[in-house]
Each structure stands twice: as C-alpha cells, then as structure tokens.
Amino acid sequence: MEKLILNPGFFLLAPLSIAAFCFMVGVGSSDRFIDWPYLWLLFKNISPYFWAVIGVALCVGTSILGAAWGIFVTGSSLVGAAIRVPRITSKNLISIIFCEAVAIYGVIVAIILQTKLEGVTREQGLYSKNNMAAGYAIFGAGLTCGFSNLVCG
C-alpha cells in the first residue's frame, strides 16, 4: 500500500478515476458532467450554521494535526541530536513549544469564530443572503486557519 501511494502514477490515476466515477454516477442529470442547478439547490438548502460549525471544527482539527506533525518531526530529530550531544537537550525544547503554540493558536481562533455563531432562521423557505455569507465566511476563516497551521507544523 505504501509503494502504491508513493507511485507518481497514483497521483494521476486517482483523480481521473474519481472523475470517471462521478461522471458515471451523475449528479442529478445524465446529460451534463456537473449539474449546476442541482448543486445550487443542495447548497442553498444547507444551513449556514452547518458551514460555520464545519469551519470551526476544521480550524481546531487541522491545527492540532499540524502541531502533532511538527512535534513528531522536531521531537524525533531532537532525540537523535540528544543521543549525539547530550548537553543540548534543554536548549532545543523551544521548537517543541512553538509547535504547541500552533495548536493553541488554532484553538483560540476557533473560540473567536464560535463567538460569531448565531442561530439562523428561514425566511419564506430560504436563508437570507447575510446568513449565508456569514456561514461561508466562518467556514472559509476556519479552513484557512486550519490548513495554514497544518502547513506550519
């Protein structure tokens, strides 16, 4: 399995096979590859509160994954360095602290985003544009913070 994922052909075949599967299944209409009106119908009926909560969850989750990856990489290199030169162990702990700061930053941003959440109601069967924009904005902010912290780690 590990050799399959590292194979460059996998990165070409995986998206093509997913696209072929989506084309065969269809998303509402068989004459188009992507049925945009059907997708718009799905997205306008999903609560903006859902998008906001998913953004907050992605902010926390990917920030913690980034911090864990950073701690794993720096911790294993610090253990190797400590075996060779034992006197530098306490000096290099600052890099572990910075990796933990990435997770703390993600949690703080998630708390700030969560304070912006409000209950939304439908007006005449649809959500208002302001509610939709707020939900998408919180989703985008959480996604941006989370993935930037994931890359930081």
Side-chain angles (χ1 to χ4, degrees), residues 2-3 5 14 22 32-33 38 48 50 71 81 87 91-92 128 135 144 146 152:
E2 187 174 318
K3 289 183 181 182
I5 294 175
C22 289
R32 292 188 229 166
F33 181 64
Y38 181 73
F50 169 78
I71 290 171
R87 61 181 160 71
K91 294 178 185 176
N92 289 333
S128 70
T144 303
C152 260

Side-chain angles (χ1 to χ4, degrees), residues 5-136:
I5 294 175
L6 294 177
N7 188 352
F10 176 76
F11 293 108
L12 180 65
L13 280 176
L16 289 176
S17 61
I18 291 171
F21 177 75
C22 289
F23 182 73
M24 284 187 255
V25 169
V27 185
S29 175
S30 60
D31 59 338
R32 292 188 229 166
F33 181 64
I34 298 174
D35 191 5
W36 294 109
Y38 181 73
L39 287 176
W40 175 244
L41 177 72
L42 287 178
F43 278 111
K44 75 179 182 181
N45 287 322
I46 294 175
S47 171
Y49 192 77
F50 169 78
W51 292 109
V53 169
I54 292 295
V56 170
L58 283 172
C59 179
V60 172
T62 53
S63 295
I64 290 173
L65 282 176
W69 180 255
I71 290 171
F72 168 70
V73 170
T74 56
S76 60
S77 64
L78 286 178
V79 168
I83 291 172
R84 291 180 183 239
V85 185
R87 61 181 160 71
I88 65 167
T89 56
S90 62
K91 294 178 185 176
N92 289 333
L93 287 178
I94 192 75
S95 48
I96 298 289
I97 293 169
F98 281 139
C99 290
E100 291 173 4
V102 167
I104 292 170
Y105 175 71
V107 170
I108 290 171
V109 170
I111 290 170
I112 291 171
L113 290 176
Q114 199 170 14
T115 61
K116 303 295 180 192
L117 291 179
E118 296 176 359
V120 293
T121 58
R122 288 184 176 210
E123 297 168 4
Q124 298 174 352
L126 297 174
Y127 296 107
S128 70
K129 290 184 180 182
N130 291 335
N131 288 338
M132 294 295 281
Y136 291 142

